[in-house]
Amino acid sequence: MSSNAPDPHVVSVDLGDRSYDVHVGAGVRSCLSSVVPTGARRAAVITQPNVGWHVESGLDQSVLEVPDGEEAKCLAVVERLCRDMSSAGFTRSDVIVAVGGGVVTDVAGFVAAVYHRGMRYVSVPTTLLGQVDAAIGGKTGVNLPEGKNLVGAFWQPHAVLCDTEVLATLPPREMRSGQGELAKYHFLGGDGLDALDLAQRIAAAVRIKADVVAADEREGGRRAILNYGHTLAHAIETAGRFDLRHGEAVAVGLVYAAEVAAAMGRIDDDRVAYHRRVVTGYGLPSRLPALLDDDELLALFGRDKKAVDGLTLVLDSARGVEPVTPVPEAVLRQALAAIR
Ligand code: GLY
């Protein structure tokens, strides 16, 4: 890669002929022209108005905007983008460049998966959450009124550019939300993350995710560990009455998962305390919002998409984090009491 960026970290997601590199570092967005796929003549840059970052693909490029907000993650926006691309004459040999947070990379990745039966895309995630999670691993898709991410495809990007420079202007809540996902990696083999600076930490998180995705691209099993802390987080988000961002809800969910694991004798009190230290070390919440009662939460756990054949939770142990089924209801309730 020729670029002005100082020594970016490069992490490979090893998926055979669909392998790709994730470049992490200050200024790596300026490397875009060197990672666009060979043979692409034009670039459709898909972004949101509030993103505000310009990228230069080195190709003839058109900017297509989707509306701000999570509501843009819907089929109507996918149709709009496909029609605009068709009117503008984009073909399968061109490239999409997704510039934005998780909404943009999920929608643009899905458009790339379905437009002309599939074209290449490069992601330039501009949020911490996007850089350590959403933009890596090829999960693309949109929400339906019936639930989140119900329509989508596994469609891997051609390259990902995680520019740490753009994080400097993220609103503090958005940064904290990303830190909730970052906190998760401390328990997925990222014990040494504390000692790293932000770019190194993002690269280390990406490396952990890349290894998991390479082992189980389509979430037949192991990839579920990337949902560590997410069962309670999704329940809190679905209840919808609380001003918690995704990563903040994940932070509470991580501590909850630790309490469940302790109640099942899988980990000891020191390990639970370590979960609390990591989460609070990022300035994230570790307690349940008041007014969410246990019965409502248990009902919401049952609706989580990982609830197959009884409730499955991703839980810690001396062997590491793994999906566990079933988790007794009494344990779920005991652990809820512990985080109130
Ligand atoms: N965000 C979880 C995954 O990519 O599998």
Side-chain angles (χ1 to χ4, degrees), residues 133 139 209 219 223 226-227:
D133 188 37
K139 277 189 181 175
K209 178 156 186 179
E219 201 164 324
R223 186 164 176 165
L226 296 172
N227 292 322

Side-chain angles (χ1 to χ4, degrees), residues 157-326:
H158 182 77
V160 182
L161 302 177
C162 298
D163 192 336
T164 51
E165 222 168 63
V166 308
L167 302 179
T169 57
L170 269 192
R173 284 296 293 281
E174 187 57 51
M175 193 68 184
R176 267 157 56 89
S177 186
Q179 286 167 334
E181 286 289 348
L182 206 41
K184 172 185 82 179
Y185 290 101
H186 286 248
F187 313 105
L188 304 183
D191 297 325
L193 287 181
D194 279 332
L196 305 179
D197 68 25
L198 183 61
Q200 292 169 330
R201 217 180 268 216
I202 293 169
V206 169
R207 200 164 289 117
I208 293 169
K209 178 156 186 179
D211 287 347
V212 173
V213 169
D216 178 23
E217 181 185 6
R218 288 175 173 255
E219 201 164 324
R222 182 159 177 75
R223 186 164 176 165
I225 70 167
L226 296 172
N227 292 322
Y228 189 44
H230 282 58
T231 301
L232 179 65
H234 288 155
I236 293 170
E237 290 175 294
T238 305
R241 302 189 300 276
F242 305 98
D243 181 26
L244 280 187
R245 306 296 289 267
H246 176 70
E248 294 169 330
V250 168
V252 181
L254 292 170
V255 177
Y256 178 63
E259 291 287 0
V260 172
M264 293 177 78
R266 297 173 57 86
I267 59 172
D268 62 19
D269 291 348
D270 286 350
R271 185 71 176 166
V272 179
Y274 176 62
H275 278 70
R276 282 208 163 77
R277 272 203 310 283
V278 168
V279 161
T280 55
Y282 280 107
L284 290 160
S286 61
R287 301 210 160 268
L288 261 183
L291 301 177
L292 252 182
D293 78 44
D294 291 6
D295 291 338
E296 180 181 12
L297 285 169
L298 292 188
L300 290 168
F301 289 173
R303 282 169 45 189
D304 192 83
K305 64 178 186 274
K306 293 179 296 305
V308 183
D309 301 331
L311 185 68
T312 300
L313 245 68
V314 178
L315 296 176
D316 200 9
S317 75
R319 290 180 302 281
V321 164
E322 59 195 3
V324 176
T325 315

